[in-house]
Amino acid sequence: MSAVTPDKIAGHAHDDHAHDHPHGWRRWLYATNHKDIGTMYLWFSFTMFLVGGVLALGIRTELFMPGLQVFAPEFFNQLTTMHGVIMVFGAIMPAFVGFANWMIPLQIGAPDMAFARMNNFSFWLLPPAALLIVASFFVPGGATAAGWTLYAPLTVQMGPGMDMAIFALHIMGASSIMGSINIITTILNMRAPGMTLMKMPMFCWTWLITAYLLIAVMPVLAGAITMTLTDRHFGTSFFNAAGGGDPVMYQHIFWFFGHPEVYIMILPAFGIVSQIVPVFSRKPLFGYASMVYATASIAILSFIVWAHHMFTTGMPVTGQLFFMYATMLIAVPTGVKIFNWLATMWRGSMTFETPMLFAVGFIFVFTMGGFTGLILAMAPIDIQVQDTYYVVAHFHYVLVAGSLFALFGGTYFWLPKWTGHMYDETLGKWHFWLSMIFFNITFFPMHFLGLAGMPRRYADYAMQFADFNMVASIGAFGFGLSQLLFLYIVVKAIRGGPQAAPNYFDAKDDGLEWTVPSPAPFHTFETPPVIR
């Protein structure tokens, strides 16, 4: 695909129509520009990331030594629950939507998102939801402590903090569905002339598939938590065993949402890595079509593996076998992606700027998380390590070193396009190495804790787990503090730094975002570029 020549759109997209938009608080409150809304999503998600991170440090402080030191066990359970809920729904998902808002119109040559006002509304639903969920700590009985999966029967017994969490999730779910409708419509209807679907950048492909997943599964979560709400207040007994309900039914409904949800949080990360690796390998992406098909296969398979989270609930052996084999099958398209990235790097003239460091770090650590996931897919092994720290280690390898590292890599990759200034490369590399080292110090010992039988969500533990827990806690504080360096790097780039050229990494992948100046003007592609 060869991109449009800059002279084609000179005078149209490249003059900054500063007079077109309001200034001050009105610019943000009434924002309909995809770049402003993307920026607000990214700042919101980073704020929630810091909130969720503080809760995580509370967990690790309590677990630093055996014996109860800092928090009562009830409050410890609130910390673990809220850490999970805030990180998944408040940090990771909005961050990817922020990337989608910023980059998809730039990559497909669209002037903006399809539904600009709905875009504004879907963002402004998030801050009230976040306030609701954080405020639940301060109501009688405190926040919900049922685990981030909100399992019955605990959810039926919690105080009003539980209701606040349910309403917050409803609001965030509505935001996700609206964002997804916007992304699908934009990609299918607003691509530049000549850009066929199979010429789109991989990031657009992964988001198109993710948006369909979101529309399919967010209503399922809404149904599950609505049934919980009626069990709590309106005398129904969906999940309340005392009234003839079935708590295991909640798990089936939740994981039918929850398993596609984990792919919702990783597919856009695959897209970001697929943009970064070719640029710093100076080669086109290997096997573009197979990458698209692999992404679609992962999405389809994600609907038939939900009960691998439930091997210990008394499932018949036939069911265990089906879910075990179906889960192993997902490793195939995921492996295709990893080999394609490796083949892209193979004999490329690679350089290791910060985005590439995060992309390579992502591939390495995500692969480890994938292997521990394959081990958990084996029903006999899973029954042994179910609900232990082995599971905690596995999903943090996938979600922190997966989603989060890809988000960091994408931020460094496109930050000069957003701000017009190059970030501090030395500090970026420091951020990568500190994050990588402290991440592994934190979560690698948890594999051994889990194999030795330490259960998760416990505020206290036996003496034999003390050493690895102390190591993990020290690593967690190192990892948390490293993220303040990231904040400093981003703010420093916003405030100044070397001016960024339009194609500052000399990307050869001809993405349309490299044809607009850095920073990207307020309005781009008023005349659609023509793809030859």
Side-chain angles (χ1 to χ4, degrees), residues 296-379:
S297 336
I298 290 172
I300 293 160
L301 288 172
S302 74
F303 282 102
I304 60 161
V305 297
W306 76 90
H308 66 208
H309 298 268
M310 300 169 55
F311 283 144
T312 54
T313 55
M315 189 189 301
V317 174
T318 322
Q320 291 187 1
L321 284 171
F322 170 80
F323 286 107
M324 183 165 98
Y325 293 138
T327 306
M328 290 162 65
L329 200 58
I330 279 201
V332 177
T334 314
V336 166
K337 288 182 146 330
I338 287 164
F339 284 118
N340 280 7
W341 290 322
L342 294 178
T344 306
M345 292 189 265
W346 177 251
R347 302 186 73 173
S349 55
M350 289 167 69
T351 53
F352 292 97
E353 284 86 345
T354 312
M356 187 60 165
L357 283 177
F358 271 106
V360 175
F362 166 94
I363 294 168
F364 171 64
V365 196
F366 175 79
T367 305
M368 287 172 60
F371 277 125
T372 55
L374 259 180
I375 291 166
L376 287 168
M378 308 294 157

Side-chain angles (χ1 to χ4, degrees), residues 166 170 221-231 234 236 238-239:
I166 287 173
H170 269 304
L221 174 69
I225 57 181
T226 306
M227 288 151 93
T228 305
L229 193 71
T230 60
D231 273 10
F234 301 108
T236 58
F238 291 111
F239 312 129

Side-chain angles (χ1 to χ4, degrees), residues 13-175:
H14 291 180
D15 46 341
D16 194 349
H17 297 268
H19 55 272
D20 281 3
H21 58 86
H23 289 280
W25 59 270
R26 281 188 184 80
R27 170 178 174 181
W28 302 102
L29 185 62
Y30 302 137
T32 50
N33 183 284
H34 71 97
K35 303 178 182 76
D36 283 356
I37 293 172
T39 302
M40 291 196 295
Y41 265 109
L42 291 169
W43 278 113
F44 170 83
S45 71
F46 190 72
T47 308
M48 295 308 282
F49 172 63
L50 294 181
V51 172
V54 168
L55 301 183
L57 294 184
I59 297 169
R60 289 314 320 169
T61 306
E62 180 57 63
L63 295 175
F64 184 72
M65 295 162 62
L68 295 172
Q69 289 98 44
V70 194
F71 305 122
E74 297 80 11
F75 186 71
F76 179 84
N77 288 347
Q78 294 175 34
L79 287 180
T80 50
T81 301
M82 299 304 278
H83 164 69
V85 169
I86 286 172
M87 285 302 201
V88 168
F89 296 102
I92 300 287
M93 289 170 69
F96 281 128
V97 180
F99 271 86
N101 263 297
W102 245 106
M103 298 316 301
I104 287 174
L106 285 183
Q107 290 190 325
I108 63 173
D112 208 307
M113 296 295 277
F115 306 114
R117 288 177 194 226
M118 185 164 88
N119 206 10
N120 173 292
F121 186 48
S122 61
F123 171 75
W124 281 111
L125 284 174
L126 291 177
L131 286 172
L132 200 57
I133 213 155
V134 173
S136 70
F137 273 115
F138 305 103
V139 298
T144 172
W148 82 273
T149 51
L150 307 177
Y151 274 4
L154 281 173
T155 43
V156 185
Q157 300 154 10
M158 295 282 150
M162 183 71 226
D163 301 314
M164 295 169 80
I166 287 173
F167 286 125
L169 288 179
H170 269 304
I171 297 168
M172 287 172 164
S175 163

